[in-house]
């Protein structure tokens, strides 16, 4: 039997030694006040992947793994893991001596309970991440054996404290996890303990003195502040009342100004596991976007670089495929596909329309439609205004519609009462986790948000998606995803616009806040403040 | 006393009608709390959403939902906010202190200075003082609140460093005792000034106009003919009568107190009820909204009663029954 073995303990020890060695440089103590916006509805990261929850909960809950900035696995609650030859058994060796914030010991029973009873049942993405997990054996307190129906290579990318937080069995057992006290009073194993949540003001976490990484965290306390107004957030950052704001908490227009000031910096690191993609969804069941040609024409007529430069202040990268270029690291991204120009190609767009017999009427109009815009801020509104202009020359006349969040969600995902919709999706660290939901026939799920609202259905593609999910061999997997991307570049049920780069703005006194691939959704255990 | 009881009894059907009207008004909004929660979560199965709707009681027919709500309100149970996972009364109570603090300091400042400025303007009619005060009132009345707030932040927080930009307390320090009181007062200054400026203009103009109107009345001529000094005429006779419209206006403002001010709360991240209601609307947290509306309605009814009583003590000619 040939096990692919990877021992994390050695690496971890090395990491700790490095941390201890340079301890003279770090200042322990202090309070980090950072921006959490908007105020989260709860802190139940095992129930919701809502952004603001991610800014707080991963400081309280650990995952089995963390990931470094190159997406390498870093051991967390799991010290090491082994995948069997057939890919159907994954064995995790768990860390000993870890305790929950209430003092109870952490064991393999917590892992089994979390995955089988919580994440697989009530987490929005858990049923997908762990869909192949049939059972989990716990031969002893510090070993968890995942028995899979089929190989699931993507699962190992979904084990962070943000994506799959490990929760305490003794506090949730016998209750409905959707309705538990843990949602507003979280108890984890992480670097910080939950202390207080003053609605409308802040959530306060204090240092976990018994944290399993010796000598960490450096900070005594972290406080997430809720500041509704974007200009005030910028002023608070400028006045050093807050030191850190991620996920566009400081709008790009102000971020570039702060970037040029002394004492502040801007980074796009810390978003590679989230992998956000701006895109257009089409209603492929209704005229006019039921024809692939007109969808291609839209993709050809939009100047992606213009959007990025003028609306997102240069932060972004033109999309060139259904997959983000961040998937080059795992070999899944395919370059050189048609229909994804960085600059608008109006002539090509008109040619595609003419060839398909979509002709202009007397006013030069080939199609009329309402463009829905994701109601997440002014940038999207401006993007809509640009698109209205950009598509007019090829004879597509758009009216813009900007509604509030519940109305928009219901329109697009429950009523399918839309024609063309601007949106963005997280592609996540593996296409199975973030991309399949857009295209699979099994992902046409009326009433479920952020899935296949285009209602695109292609048996050939479905077969490839299924094969890609289970293929353990990297080369074969890359081959399969290449074919998938070729099909999607022709059919274009969704047109990817650009790979978004969220901005993190921070005070230069704040150090080591970007040591995890999860960035702002990371554990923050090494963050420290320079005196 | 009998008058007060009578007024309170009359208020019951009014408040009931307000609740019912609000209830149906809020149903007109598309989507519900479950749509918002599921949307924020990134994805959720239809089964899960149906389960949530059952849990929130949103699956029942509307009249049943209304009947349940009314029944609970009768025993002063404002229900549960499923979004915040907290009882509505607790949520509102949490924000009440911040709201009352901001609104009382604002009303005191605005009424106090407004009356004073109006008085000064009226007494020096058409002098440079009058003109200066009128121009000041016009400018503050016409300037958008959010702009004033942001400019105050830029000048007094960023450039001069006198006041914090936002929030109600210093969250890096978590002061206790008197230090905390001082800290909160320090944070209160800019939002109070911002919100006061707007109302200040209203009271100034109202007071000035009212003073001028009263000064032309017959009773002033009579008093003057009797040989009463100008100062006594102004401060005892005219001022007292001129205050009536100001009291009416202040009553209206106190009635709106529960609503807070969305703009000022948003600009200064002040944790008041205005933002809570605003967010509740966008997350379709109907229990919470109805709770806030209900309290506002109670307050308006109570304040109207108090204003009527104050009238009668300011002007004994007004009888309350």
């Amino acid at each position: 039997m040939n096990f692919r073995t990877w021992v994390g303990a050695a690496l971890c020890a090395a990491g700790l030694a490095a941390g201890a060695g340079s301890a003279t440089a770090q200042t322990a103590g202090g309070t980090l006040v950072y921006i959490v916006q908007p105020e989260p509805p709860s802190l139940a990261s095992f129930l919701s992947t809502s952004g603001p929850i991610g800014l707080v909960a991963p400081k309280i809950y650990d995952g089995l793994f963390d990931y470094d900035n190159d997406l390498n696995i870093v051991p967390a609650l799991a010290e090491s893991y082994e995948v069997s030859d057939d890919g159907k058994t994954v064995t995790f060796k768990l860390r000993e001596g870890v305790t929950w914030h209430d003092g109870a010991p952490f064991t393999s029973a917590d892992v089994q309970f979390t995955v089988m009873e919580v994440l697989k049942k009530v987490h929005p993405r858990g049923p997908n991440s762990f869909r192949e997990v049939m059972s989990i054996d716990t031969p002893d307190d510090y070993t968890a054996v995942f028995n899979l129906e089929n190989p699931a290579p993507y699962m190992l990318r979904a084990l962070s404290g943000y994506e799959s937080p490990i929760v305490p069995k003794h506090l949730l057992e016998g209750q409905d996890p959707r309705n538990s006290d843990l949602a507003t009073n979280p108890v984890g194993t992480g670097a910080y303990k939950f202390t207080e949540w003053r609605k409308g003001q802040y959530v306060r976490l204090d240092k976990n003195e018994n944290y399993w990484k010796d000598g960490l965290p450096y900070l005594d306390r972290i406080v997430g502040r809720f500041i509704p107004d974007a200009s005030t957030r910028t002023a608070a950052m400028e006045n050093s009342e807050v030191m850190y704001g991620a996920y566009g908490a400081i709008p790009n227009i102000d971020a570039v100004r702060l970037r040029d000031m002394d004492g502040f910096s801007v980074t796009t690191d810390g978003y590679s596991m989230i992998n956000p993609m701006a895109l257009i969804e089409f209603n492929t069941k209704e005229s006019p976007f039921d024809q692939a040609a007109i969808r291609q024409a839209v993709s050809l007529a939009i100047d992606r670089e213009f959007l990025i430069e003028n609306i997102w202040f240069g932060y972004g990268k033109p999309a060139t495929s259904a997959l983000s270029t961040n998937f080059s690291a795992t070999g899944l991204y395919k370059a050189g596909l048609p229909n994804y120009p960085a600059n608008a190609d109006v002539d090509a767009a008109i040619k595609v329309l003419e060839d398909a017999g979509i002709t202009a009427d007397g006013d030069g109009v080939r199609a009329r439609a309402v463009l829905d815009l994701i109601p997440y801020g002014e940038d999207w509104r401006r993007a809509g205004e640009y698109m209205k202009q950009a598509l007019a020359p090829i004879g597509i006349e758009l009216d813009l519609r900007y509604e509030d969040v519940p109305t928009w969600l219901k329109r697009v995902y429950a009523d399918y009462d839309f024609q063309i919709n601007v949106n963005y999706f997280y592609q996540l660290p593996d296409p199975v986790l973030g991309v399949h939901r857009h295209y699979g026939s099994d992902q046409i799920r009326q009433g479920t948000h952020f899935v296949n609202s285009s209602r695109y259905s292609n048996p050939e593609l479905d077969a490839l998606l299924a094969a890609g999910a289970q293929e353990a061999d990297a080369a074969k997997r890359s081959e399969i995803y290449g074919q998938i991307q070729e099909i999607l570049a022709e059919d274009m049920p969704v047109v990817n616009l650009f790979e978004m780069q969220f901005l993190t703005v921070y005070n230069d006194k704040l150090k080591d806040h970007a040591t995890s691939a999860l960035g702002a959704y990371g554990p923050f255990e090494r963050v420290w403040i320079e005196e | 006393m009998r008058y007060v009881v009578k007024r309170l009894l009359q208020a019951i059907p009014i408040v009931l009608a307000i609740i019912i009207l609000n209830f149906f008004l809020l149903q007109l909004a598309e989507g519900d709390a479950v749509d918002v929660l599921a949307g924020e979560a990134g994805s959720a199965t239809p089964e899960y959403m149906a389960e949530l709707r059952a849990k929130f009681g949103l699956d029942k027919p509307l009249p049943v939902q209304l009947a349940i709500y009314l029944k609970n309100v009768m025993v002063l149970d404002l229900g549960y906010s499923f979004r915040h996972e907290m009882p509505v009364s607790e949520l509102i109570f949490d924000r009440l202190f911040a709201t009352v603090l901001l609104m009382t300091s604002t009303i005191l400042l605005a009424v106090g200075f407004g009356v004073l400025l109006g008085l000064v303007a009226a007494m020096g009619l058409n002098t440079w003082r009058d003109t200066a005060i009128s121009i000041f009132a016009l400018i503050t009345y016409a300037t958008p609140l959010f702009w004033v707030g942001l400019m105050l932040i830029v000048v007094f927080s960023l450039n001069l460093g006198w006041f914090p930009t936002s929030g109600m307390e210093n969250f890096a320090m978590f002061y206790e005792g008197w230090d905390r009181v001082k800290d909160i007062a320090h944070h209160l200054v800019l939002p109070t000034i911002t919100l006061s400026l707007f109302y200040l203009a209203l009271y100034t103009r109202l007071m000035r106009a009212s003073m001028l109107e009263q000064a032309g009345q017959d009773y002033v001529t009579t008093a003057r003919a009797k040989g009463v000094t100008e100062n006594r005429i102004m401060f005892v006779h005219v001022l007292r009568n001129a205050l009536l419209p100001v009291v009416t206006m202040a009553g209206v403002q106190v009635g709106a107190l529960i609503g807070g001010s969305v703009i000022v709360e948003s600009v200064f991240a002040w944790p008041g009820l205005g933002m809570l209601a605003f967010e509740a609307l966008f997350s379709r947290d109907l229990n919470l909204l109805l709770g806030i509306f209900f309290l506002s309605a109670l307050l308006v009814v109570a304040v109207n009663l108090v204003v009527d009583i104050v009238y009668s003590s300011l002007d004994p000619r007004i009888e309350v029954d």
Side-chain angles (χ1 to χ4, degrees):
Chain A
M1 200 139 224
N2 176 23
F3 280 100
R4 186 166 72 83
T5 307
W6 174 86
V7 180
L11 259 183
C12 177
L16 276 182
S22 55
T24 44
Q26 283 104 5
T27 328
T31 299
L32 162 65
V33 183
Y34 70 116
I35 301 172
V36 172
Q37 193 59 39
E39 183 169 2
S42 79
L43 293 177
S45 55
F46 50 91
L47 282 184
S48 170
T49 47
S50 164
I53 298 181
L55 293 171
V56 180
K59 282 88 188 141
I60 302 168
Y61 294 108
D62 285 315
L64 290 174
F65 293 156
D66 193 4
Y67 303 86
D68 69 16
N69 277 318
D70 300 321
L71 296 185
N72 297 312
I73 290 168
V74 174
L77 288 177
E79 283 185 316
S80 65
Y81 74 97
E82 292 174 354
V83 181
S84 68
D85 253 2
D86 62 359
K88 290 187 178 180
T89 311
V90 185
T91 307
F92 294 93
K93 207 72 198 139
L94 305 177
R95 197 172 297 278
E96 296 185 26
V98 177
T99 54
W100 294 99
H101 293 155
D102 65 359
F106 157 75
T107 67
S108 53
D110 292 312
V111 175
Q112 181 195 45
F113 177 80
T114 298
V115 174
M116 300 308 293
E117 300 301 321
V118 182
L119 298 179
K120 254 187 96 101
K121 287 187 178 164
V122 298
H123 189 273
R125 301 197 284 246
N128 192 26
S129 307
F130 298 106
R131 61 179 172 186
E132 303 294 353
V133 180
M134 293 182 303
S135 64
I136 295 177
D137 298 331
T138 53
D140 64 62
D141 272 359
Y142 302 105
T143 308
V145 183
F146 285 44
N147 300 309
L148 309 182
E149 188 158 10
N150 296 296
Y154 50 86
M155 189 181 79
L156 296 177
R157 302 252 152 229
L159 298 178
S160 69
Y162 159 69
E163 188 70 34
S164 302
I166 303 296
V167 295
K169 180 182 183 185
H170 66 284
L171 294 178
L172 269 180
E173 197 175 19
Q175 302 179 41
D176 179 358
R178 292 184 192 115
N179 204 0
S180 84
D181 190 38
L182 214 57
T184 48
N185 196 8
V187 174
T189 56
Y192 301 92
K193 290 181 184 186
F194 172 77
T195 306
E196 191 189 15
W197 181 355
R198 293 289 298 277
K199 293 273 180 182
Q201 298 194 67
Y202 62 85
V203 55
R204 167 180 161 181
L205 314 178
D206 286 328
K207 175 180 185 167
N208 174 9
E209 299 288 349
N210 300 319
Y211 188 48
W212 50 269
K213 281 188 193 170
D214 280 333
L216 293 177
Y218 293 119
L219 295 169
D220 286 338
R221 180 181 295 156
I222 58 177
V223 178
R225 267 193 70 184
F226 320 129
I227 307 176
D229 188 83
S231 307
T232 311
R233 291 198 288 273
T234 308
M237 176 72 72
E238 217 174 318
N239 218 21
S240 297
E241 287 169 43
V242 297
M243 298 185 83
Y244 181 90
Y247 284 89
I250 308 287
N252 284 15
I253 187 166
D254 290 322
V256 292
R257 186 170 63 82
L258 285 173
R259 182 188 64 195
D260 299 335
M261 283 172 64
D262 280 343
F264 303 96
S265 299
V266 165
T267 178
T268 56
D269 287 347
Y271 298 100
S272 50
M273 286 216 99
I274 301 300
N275 230 344
M277 178 72 83
L279 48 87
I280 300 173
E281 289 164 292
F282 296 101
N283 186 340
T284 63
K285 296 288 179 200
E286 278 173 31
S287 166
F289 298 107
D290 51 349
Q291 301 182 61
I294 192 167
R295 303 195 292 260
Q296 284 174 14
V298 169
S299 182
L300 289 167
I302 289 175
D303 198 310
R304 293 174 167 79
E305 270 177 5
F306 181 93
L307 270 179
I308 295 167
E309 284 308 317
N310 294 287
I311 298 174
W312 274 271
F313 292 86
Y315 288 100
K317 209 170 154 186
T320 48
S321 160
L323 293 189
S324 154
T325 51
N326 286 335
F327 290 117
S328 323
T330 40
L332 301 181
Y333 164 76
K334 186 174 172 77
L337 295 171
N339 298 333
Y340 275 102
N343 296 108
D345 191 344
V346 174
D347 294 339
I350 291 175
K351 185 172 183 302
V352 167
L353 291 170
E354 291 289 341
D355 289 351
I358 302 169
T359 51
D361 66 11
D363 301 326
V365 177
R366 296 171 208 267
R368 285 189 174 80
V370 176
L371 175 67
D372 282 290
L373 301 166
I374 180 171
Y376 285 11
E378 285 305 306
D379 292 347
W380 299 102
R381 215 172 237 194
R382 273 177 244 137
E385 283 155 10
Y386 164 72
M387 286 168 59
K388 181 180 165 78
Q389 279 185 26
L391 297 187
I394 64 166
I396 298 177
E397 185 122 323
L398 294 177
D399 284 317
L400 305 182
R401 182 162 51 200
Y402 190 90
E403 297 170 314
D404 75 349
V405 176
T407 314
W408 172 75
L409 285 171
K410 188 163 180 286
R411 176 185 298 284
V412 176
Y413 294 103
D415 299 344
Y416 296 134
D417 180 19
F418 76 105
Q419 292 162 301
I420 167 169
N421 179 45
V422 175
N423 199 348
Y424 71 89
F425 264 48
Y426 289 170
Q427 294 208 331
L428 302 174
D430 192 284
V432 177
L433 305 175
V435 181
H436 283 209
R437 56 186 169 144
H438 246 147
Y439 303 108
S441 304
D442 58 341
Q443 294 295 316
I444 303 174
R445 298 151 67 193
Q446 189 160 17
T448 302
H449 302 146
F450 303 109
V451 291
N452 187 352
S453 63
S454 300
R455 286 180 284 165
Y456 170 74
S457 175
N458 178 347
E460 189 191 349
L461 187 85
D462 288 342
L464 286 167
L465 291 174
Q470 293 172 14
E471 184 53 64
D473 182 83
K476 283 185 199 153
R477 197 158 187 241
S478 143
E479 177 77 15
I480 292 168
Y481 279 96
Q483 284 173 277
I484 290 173
Q485 289 166 84
E486 277 168 15
I487 292 174
L488 290 174
E490 288 302 325
D491 283 359
M492 296 208 131
V494 169
V495 164
N496 284 353
L497 294 174
F498 63 97
E499 296 167 17
M500 300 174 70
Q501 290 178 336
F502 286 128
L503 296 188
T504 302
V505 182
Y506 61 95
N507 192 306
D508 285 341
K509 286 184 180 160
L510 195 70
K511 308 288 181 189
D512 290 342
H513 53 80
T515 53
S516 161
L518 287 149
Y521 292 168
F524 272 21
E525 84 284 20
R526 292 180 188 281
V527 178
W528 57 285
I529 297 171
E530 195 176 59
E531 287 296 316
Chain B
M1 196 57 221
R2 263 187 55 200
Y3 170 73
V4 174
V5 174
K6 194 178 113 198
R7 282 282 298 266
L8 288 180
L9 286 177
Q10 280 172 350
I12 293 176
I14 296 177
V15 171
L16 268 183
I18 291 174
I19 295 177
I20 295 172
L21 199 69
N22 283 335
F23 184 86
F24 285 107
L25 204 61
L26 291 180
Q27 302 299 333
L28 293 180
E30 283 273 350
D32 61 21
V34 174
D35 281 320
V36 181
L37 280 173
E40 285 171 340
S43 51
T45 60
E47 299 76 43
Y48 174 42
M49 289 171 67
E51 227 174 284
L52 273 184
R53 283 201 175 93
K55 183 179 139 190
F56 295 1
L58 294 173
D59 55 338
K60 298 193 180 71
L62 274 189
V64 178
Q65 288 185 42
L66 176 62
I68 294 174
Y69 188 79
L70 284 176
K71 198 185 92 208
N72 289 338
V73 166
M74 295 296 169
V75 292
L76 293 179
D77 172 5
L78 294 183
Y80 193 79
S81 160
F82 292 99
R83 178 177 183 78
H84 293 276
E85 312 248 355
M86 267 167 108
V88 167
S89 51
E90 210 173 296
L91 272 171
I92 295 180
F93 189 75
D94 261 4
R95 303 287 186 106
L96 207 54
F97 172 69
T99 309
V100 170
L101 190 65
L102 177 62
M103 296 310 275
T104 16
S105 58
T106 300
I107 292 171
L108 288 180
L109 196 72
V111 173
F113 275 90
V115 167
L116 194 70
L117 289 180
L119 199 63
V120 171
M123 283 169 71
L125 190 63
N126 295 332
T127 63
W128 65 269
R129 273 181 314 200
D130 181 27
T131 318
I133 289 172
S134 296
I135 290 176
F136 171 75
L138 186 71
I139 291 176
T140 51
Y141 185 69
T143 316
L145 272 183
F146 77 92
W147 189 83
V148 173
L150 287 174
M151 284 307 116
L152 289 180
I153 290 177
V154 168
V155 174
F156 292 100
S157 302
L158 295 183
N159 291 341
L160 295 173
W162 292 355
F163 298 103
T165 59
S166 56
M168 196 166 101
E169 286 180 69
N170 183 330
F171 303 124
M173 305 304 289
F174 288 100
Y175 292 110
E176 308 270 343
W178 276 109
D179 287 336
R180 181 162 182 232
V181 175
K182 272 191 278 179
D183 187 39
I184 292 180
H186 194 207
H187 282 79
L188 183 63
V189 174
L190 291 188
T192 302
I193 292 179
T194 307
L195 197 51
S196 302
L197 278 179
F198 175 78
Y199 290 111
L200 182 65
L202 276 184
Y203 289 119
T204 304
R205 294 176 65 85
L206 196 63
M207 187 65 194
R208 180 178 175 275
S210 169
M211 285 291 285
L212 293 180
E213 191 203 331
Q214 292 296 329
Q217 299 282 318
D218 289 345
Y219 71 86
V220 177
T221 317
T222 313
R224 201 167 280 142
K226 275 164 63 184
V228 181
T229 61
E230 278 302 315
N231 272 345
R232 195 177 155 77
I233 292 175
M234 196 53 95
F235 290 107
V236 178
H237 297 261
V238 177
L239 179 63
R240 194 161 163 182
N241 282 300
L243 275 177
L244 283 178
V246 174
V247 170
T248 315
M249 185 65 210
V252 171
Q253 204 195 334
V254 172
L257 185 145
I258 285 278
S261 163
V262 177
I263 292 171
V264 168
E265 285 171 21
S266 157
V267 168
F268 291 98
W270 191 263
L273 282 166
M275 275 310 283
L276 188 69
F278 187 69
E279 285 164 8
L281 180 63
F282 284 97
S283 54
R284 303 287 190 268
D285 192 343
L286 300 193
N287 273 355
L288 179 53
L289 265 182
L290 285 173
I292 296 174
F293 288 167
F294 173 66
L295 275 196
S296 300
L298 287 187
L299 191 74
V300 169
V301 167
V303 167
N304 280 345
L305 181 56
V306 171
V307 165
D308 285 350
I309 294 171
V310 171
Y311 271 166
S312 67
S313 65
L314 272 177
D315 185 346
R317 287 169 302 179
I318 300 175
E319 289 183 21
V320 289
D321 46 23

